[in-house]
């Protein structure tokens, strides 16, 4: 599974981190990995010693069943132990580690100059205040609380306040529609909603309270009512009072908001109009009024290891989102451990993950993992291109960021603007670069490594899912020689295998279905309210294995390469082709910024390749370029992979988190107008443009 020696040919070696690295060599990595697999109780027991337990586990350290033919699928870690994850993230760091005055978050607003910082002690006080408010409103252990907020410190406060009292948070990305929010509230039967008046994302105003009210109305239409909604004043300075003339509508706001909250430093460069905020005094409560007189001390609720921590919804093949359920102890240990080793966390680091907390990356690697390690993080509200394309590198220099974690989509987008915006800032503080969300193509990897990291920062290309809770395949800085685009090797406790269609394990260099043979602490426990769907989705196809749904290739050196979702695999004339592999070949062309490949029915070959290509600024689409691109694919993969259709796509349909909606592209390629739910689409205008430009496939 893991080679005896680290390969030294055609790889990028580790850099100047060995002296301080937690895992200073490949040999040390292998030693720790074997211990984690052969004796997980001892390995994870050692990790658990760093955290506080009100009582020790009473059952086996690990107990599980992955085989649906032998009964119910389940995973239990440290069953019977009691703890509180909020206590471990805040109280333990303040009282035992003496980190009370250490900065937990540097918050950087949408507008340059809008900023604040919050220490661990201040964060605990705010969490306790809101936790007491929630208890006063009748929220108790096990209740679900929906959170629909922008990327602000209060979002972290809200999730940790839930965790402190044993409530289960269900965070909904603040870019989702009212329909998506109501669907998630209904599925998890939330008792309370926490939201904000609104926020700006670049130049665009998002009126969260308006959307939230629409969602609650949709819940009512389905005979489910949330009794209370807490609203934070993020843009406005005062909670609105109902106006008799307008019913439940507050008067139109005419003043601008040059300074969002008095405690923030700096001056916002653009004064913006305030949104009109609907207000229903029978349901709506003002966050600031509630917490003002609340006590800043709150005894934590001691919870069992396998009590639920949160539900987070991810897309499903049926179109209905799945509520992925994570539990307390295993998730805490796994996010803490992966953060420590994958980013080689050191106490002096300033860490920045650019993801949104509305996604699993933000849960695990903005809130839980970093805070468990006592880290200082940057929390960013804005966009990487606003007000200009140098914003990210400006922030890196401003806060002296040492560890930087972002998505391949963002990297490819910034590549389009060339090297000059990056070179405006020094980035000398950077030590480790990370990528997350999708496989990164080698060209983007090399640009990230060469231009952003100046060939001195290792790139940790992490593979994981909402369901896995944390990194499962990843390099380790200083320990793992790097191959651009490879997910490299498994993290501690993770045992991958590659299966063929018959469920047989494939050895040596090979390609097939990526599965895992045994659980790790952070793996999901079930689909909320639907154990059958959990078992059918992840365990039925290959009993005894957790099925990721991704294809994977193992090379001659033992490195693992994610080839894309299994439903993104194409069978062309009996040959299984990876869409990710074809996309990688296309973006190697100097004119191509981004590419997406989907299947199209073919009367002879079964399936053919339909390619959407986005060009870099200043490049023009032509028959000559199309011929060059087809030649590039033939050269990289073979004649069997030659695309049948190539479409110029000035923009691709993406979710608000930046993921390409390939389901929509498949519909466009087949000229099918019934696109299903597109509420998560960031820019719906690209759809009609793509339909108009589609290739003739008759």
């Amino acid at each position: 599974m893991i080679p005896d020696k680290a390969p030294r040919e055609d790889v990028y070696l580790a850099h100047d981190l060995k002296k301080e690295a937690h895992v200073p060599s490949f040999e040390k990595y292998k030693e720790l990995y074997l211990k984690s697999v052969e004796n997980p109780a001892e390995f994870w027991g050692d990790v658990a010693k760093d955290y506080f337990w009100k009582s020790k586990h009473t059952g086996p350290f690990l107990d599980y069943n992955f085989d649906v033919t032998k009964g119910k699928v389940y995973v239990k870690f440290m069953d019977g132990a009691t703890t509180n994850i909020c206590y471990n993230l805040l109280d333990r760091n303040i009282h035992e580690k003496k980190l009370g005055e250490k900065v937990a978050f540097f918050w950087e607003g949408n507008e340059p100059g809008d900023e604040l910082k919050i220490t661990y002690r201040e964060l605990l006080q705010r969490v306790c205040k809101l936790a007491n408010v929630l208890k006063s409103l009748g929220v108790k252990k096990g209740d679900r609380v929906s959170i629909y907020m922008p990327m602000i410190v209060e979002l972290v406060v809200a999730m940790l306040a839930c965790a402190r009292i044993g409530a289960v948070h269900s965070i909904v990305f603040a870019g989702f529609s009212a329909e998506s929010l109501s669907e998630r509230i209904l599925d998890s039967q939330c008792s309370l909603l926490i939201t904000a008046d609104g926020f700006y994302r670049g130049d665009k105003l998002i009126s969260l309270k308006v959307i939230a009210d629409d969602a609650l109305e949709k819940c009512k239409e389905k005979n489910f009512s949330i009794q209370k909604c807490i609203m934070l004043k993020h843009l406005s300075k005062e909670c609105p009072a109902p106006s008799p003339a307008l019913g439940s509508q507050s008067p139109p706001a005419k003043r601008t908001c040059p300074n969002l909250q008095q405690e923030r430093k700096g001056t916002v460069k653009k004064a913006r109009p305030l949104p009109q905020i609907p207000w229903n005094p029978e349901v709506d409560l003002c966050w600031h009024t509630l917490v003002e007189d609340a006590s800043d001390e709150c005894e934590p609720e001691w919870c069992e290891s396998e009590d639920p921590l949160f539900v987070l919804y991810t897309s499903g093949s049926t179109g209905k989102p799945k509520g992925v359920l994570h539990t307390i102890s295993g998730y805490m240990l796994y996010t803490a451990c992966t953060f420590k080793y994958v980013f080689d966390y050191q106490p002096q680091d300033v860490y920045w993950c650019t993801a949104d907390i509305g996604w699993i990356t933000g849960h695990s690697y903005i809130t839980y993992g970093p805070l468990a390690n006592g880290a200082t993080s940057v929390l960013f509200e804005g966009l990487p291109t606003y007000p200009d394309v140098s914003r990210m590198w400006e922030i890196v220099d401003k806060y002296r960021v040492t560890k930087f974690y972002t998505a391949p989509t963002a990297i490819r987008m910034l590549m389009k603007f060339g090297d000059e915006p990056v070179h405006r800032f020094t980035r000398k503080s950077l030590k480790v670069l990370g990528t997350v969300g999708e496989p990164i193509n080698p060209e983007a990897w090399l640009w990230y490594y060469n231009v952003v990291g100046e060939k001195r920062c290792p790139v940790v290309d992490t593979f994981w899912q909402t369901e896995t809770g944390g990194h499962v395949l990843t390099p380790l800085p200083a320990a793992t020689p790097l191959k651009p685009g490879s997910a490299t090797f498994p993290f501690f406790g993770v045992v991958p295998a590659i299966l063929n269609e018959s469920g047989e394990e494939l050895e040596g260099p090979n390609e097939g279905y990526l599965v895992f043979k045994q659980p790790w602490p952070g793996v999901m426990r079930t689909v909320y309210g639907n154990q059958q769907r959990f078992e059918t989705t992840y365990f039925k196809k290959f009993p005894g294995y957790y099925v990721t749904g991704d294809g994977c290739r193992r090379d001659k050196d033992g490195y693992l390469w994610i080839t894309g979702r299994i439903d993104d695999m194409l069978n062309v004339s009996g040959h299984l082709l990876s869409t990710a592999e074809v996309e990688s070949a296309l973006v190697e062309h100097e004119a191509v910024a981004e590419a997406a490949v989907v299947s199209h029915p073919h009367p002879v070959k079964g399936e053919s390749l339909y390619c959407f290509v986005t060009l870099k600024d200043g490049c023009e689409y032509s028959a000559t370029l199309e011929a060059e691109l087809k030649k590039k694919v033939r050269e990289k993969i073979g004649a069997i992979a030659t695309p049948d259709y190539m479409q110029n796509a000035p923009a691709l349909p993406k979710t608000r988190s930046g993921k390409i909606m390939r389901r929509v592209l498949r519909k466009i390629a087949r000229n099918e107008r019934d696109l299903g739910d597109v509420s998560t689409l960031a820019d719906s205008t690209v759809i009609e443009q793509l339909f108009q430009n589609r290739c003739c496939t008759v």
Side-chain angles (χ1 to χ4, degrees), residues 12 343 351-354 392-393 396 401-412 414-415 418-419 422-423 427 430-436 440-462 482 484-485:
Y12 289 74
F343 299 108
Y351 163 82
W352 181 20
C353 171
T354 68
M392 294 177 92
W393 320 124
V396 166
V401 173
T402 55
K403 311 294 168 67
F404 180 69
Y405 195 34
T406 194
T409 298
I411 296 166
R412 288 192 292 266
L414 294 170
M415 276 178 64
D419 300 354
V422 184
H423 291 154
R427 296 154 284 110
L430 289 173
K431 293 184 177 181
V432 174
L433 303 174
T435 68
V436 59
I440 185 170
N441 54 295
E443 186 191 31
W445 192 101
L446 289 167
W447 184 83
Y448 196 34
Y449 175 83
N450 291 325
V451 178
V452 177
E454 297 180 323
K455 301 183 180 181
R456 57 182 175 76
C457 301
V459 176
V460 287
D461 175 12
T462 61
L482 308 168

Side-chain angles (χ1 to χ4, degrees), residues 341-386:
Y341 285 104
V342 174
F343 299 108
D344 196 49
Y345 169 70
Q346 306 295 332
Q348 69 275 15
D349 279 336
V350 175
Y351 163 82
W352 181 20
C353 171
T354 68
D356 193 288
I357 292 177
W359 309 109
I360 188 63
T361 302
H363 280 58
S364 298
Y365 299 115
I366 293 180
T367 301
Y368 288 107
L371 290 176
N373 282 275
T376 295
S377 297
V378 174
L379 185 64
F380 180 45
E381 181 187 30
L383 294 170
T385 55
Y386 179 83

Side-chain angles (χ1 to χ4, degrees), residues 128-175:
C128 286
K129 278 178 168 285
L130 186 62
N132 284 321
V133 166
L134 295 179
K135 290 201 297 185
S136 73
L137 293 173
V139 179
K140 57 187 183 301
K141 181 180 177 181
D143 287 351
R144 279 77 58 209
V145 174
S146 181
I147 303 175
Y148 185 58
M149 300 181 78
M151 282 287 286
I152 52 180
V153 169
E154 290 85 355
L155 172 52
V156 177
V157 171
M159 61 197 300
L160 293 184
C162 290
R164 193 164 191 86
I165 65 173
V168 180
H169 61 72
S170 173
I171 298 177
V172 180
F173 172 55

Side-chain angles (χ1 to χ4, degrees), residues 176 179-181 183-184 187-188 311-324 527-528 530 533 538 677 679-680:
F176 275 172
E179 184 67 37
S180 296
L181 175 58
E183 185 177 39
R184 287 155 174 77
D187 187 77
S188 54
V311 176
L312 183 59
Y313 287 84
T314 186
S315 58
S317 57
T318 64
K320 178 179 169 59
K322 303 185 294 286
V324 172
V527 170
Y528 183 81
N530 198 335
R533 189 179 185 192
Y538 303 103
D677 180 19
S679 61
T680 61

Side-chain angles (χ1 to χ4, degrees), residues 85-86 143 159-160 162-164 166-170 305-311 325-329 331-332 363 368:
I85 194 168
C86 177
D143 287 351
M159 61 197 300
L160 293 184
C162 290
R164 193 164 191 86
V168 180
H169 61 72
S170 173
S305 282
E306 290 300 323
D307 282 344
L309 174 62
F310 66 83
V311 176
L325 179 74
H326 284 286
T327 55
I328 293 169
S329 295
Y331 178 81
M332 177 179 73
H363 280 58
Y368 288 107

Side-chain angles (χ1 to χ4, degrees), residues 580-651:
E581 197 172 9
V582 178
E583 290 164 4
S584 183
L586 289 169
V587 297
E588 283 190 11
H589 193 286
E590 60 184 7
V592 177
E594 197 165 23
V597 178
V598 297
S599 67
H600 188 276
H602 192 281
V604 177
K605 297 187 288 186
E607 290 181 292
S608 59
L609 281 76
Y610 192 112
C611 306
F612 296 84
V613 176
T614 301
L615 303 183
K616 294 179 180 176
D617 288 350
C619 297
E620 293 187 6
Y621 197 87
S622 65
T624 301
L625 175 61
E626 185 169 311
E628 290 176 2
L629 293 174
K630 290 183 177 181
K631 181 183 178 184
K632 173 72 78 172
V633 174
R634 284 196 299 270
E635 290 174 347
K636 293 292 293 184
I637 305 173
I640 191 66
T642 304
D644 286 69
Y645 307 104
M646 194 89 65
Q647 177 175 338
N648 180 22

